[in-house]
Amino acid sequence: DGDYDSLVSKHNGTFFVDPRGDLSNTSSTLSPILQQLRDESDWDGLVGTKPSSQMFKSGLEDSDILLYCGHGTAEEFFSREKLSCMSNKSGKKCATTLLMGCSSGKLQEYGEFEPAGVVWSYILAGSNSVVCCLWDVTDKDIDRYTLKLVKDWIVDENPNTSYLAEGVADARDVCKLRYLVGAAPICYGVPTKVSKS
């Protein structure tokens, strides 16, 4: 274990799955494990319902882990500007965030300036790690991927995936399009592990 590892509680999380209500396969694939997290831990969230901006902010501030499974970067629910206002001023950390939407980790180039994307807003707001997709993905494959990541890293605490980055790499094997969809998710941030407490 490294000196700079970040620990998050597996028992404290929030999820927003299929907020637009048009990813029925995502909802049905993830619902059983989300129910398990609700039953066994202090997880809460919404499936098939749009979160308010305040709900999203509360999920980021009050949870150790936030899971978003929907379209894009979730900016329609919580913008970069709102993230920048969080900027760790209150001393609260922003949740470790799993943004499982198309191109959620894509950085835009701005000529001679550094590339930028919503992922940097999460890091600057105090998130120790952000998992996001570099390009567009298919919903069924990314659902399988997300299920494997959540199951191994959070629910079962697989010893081979104790670090989030290990879980990100290991979950690629369940994708049918392993080098297209499986290679899209990456992890920004510092080494992050789940604690049992």
Side-chain angles (χ1 to χ4, degrees):
D1 293 339
D3 292 336
Y4 300 103
D5 292 352
S6 180
L7 286 177
V8 294
S9 172
K10 69 181 244 170
H11 298 291
N12 181 21
T14 299
F15 56 83
F16 300 112
V17 174
D18 185 22
R20 287 192 198 164
D22 59 356
L23 297 170
S24 57
N25 187 68
T26 302
S27 298
S28 61
T29 301
L30 297 177
S31 284
I33 201 152
L34 297 175
Q35 190 58 50
Q36 183 178 351
L37 287 168
R38 274 187 171 159
D39 293 343
E40 296 175 3
S41 303
D42 189 20
W43 277 71
D44 200 12
L46 299 172
V47 177
T49 304
K50 291 181 181 181
S52 68
S53 180
Q54 184 55 47
M55 288 176 76
F56 209 97
K57 182 180 182 185
S58 295
L60 289 170
E61 289 183 334
D62 300 334
S63 300
D64 281 19
I65 302 168
L66 184 133
L67 171 64
Y68 169 80
C69 298
H71 297 287
T73 62
E75 278 191 273
E76 67 186 281
F77 308 109
F78 202 71
S79 68
R80 285 182 217 206
E81 290 76 24
K82 290 179 181 170
L83 276 166
S84 67
C85 290
M86 289 176 64
S87 294
N88 227 354
K89 292 175 188 162
S90 63
K92 287 186 175 183
K93 288 246 182 208
C94 181
T96 295
T97 307
L98 312 178
L99 291 176
M100 307 312 292
C102 288
S103 300
S104 53
K106 184 177 182 181
L107 301 179
Q108 299 293 322
E109 296 205 26
Y110 295 97
E112 296 178 9
F113 300 101
E114 290 289 325
V118 73
V119 64
W120 293 129
S121 299
Y122 281 91
I123 297 293
L124 292 172
S127 184
N128 48 19
S129 292
V130 180
V131 175
C132 48
C133 299
L134 288 175
W135 51 78
D136 289 354
V137 292
T138 62
D139 61 336
K140 289 184 182 175
D141 241 3
I142 204 66
D143 294 345
R144 281 189 282 273
Y145 177 95
T146 304
L147 184 63
K148 171 84 170 152
L149 176 62
V150 170
K151 189 173 185 315
D152 284 358
W153 188 61
I154 300 170
V155 176
D156 293 343
E157 295 178 61
N158 183 334
N160 297 324
T161 57
S162 60
Y163 285 98
L164 178 56
E166 292 171 331
V168 167
D170 190 53
R172 293 183 171 139
D173 293 338
V174 300
C175 294
K176 289 186 178 181
L177 301 171
R178 185 170 185 263
Y179 297 103
L180 185 61
V181 176
I186 60 166
C187 185
Y188 286 95
V190 299
T192 303
K193 297 174 85 169
V194 288
S195 67
K196 295 179 181 177
S197 57

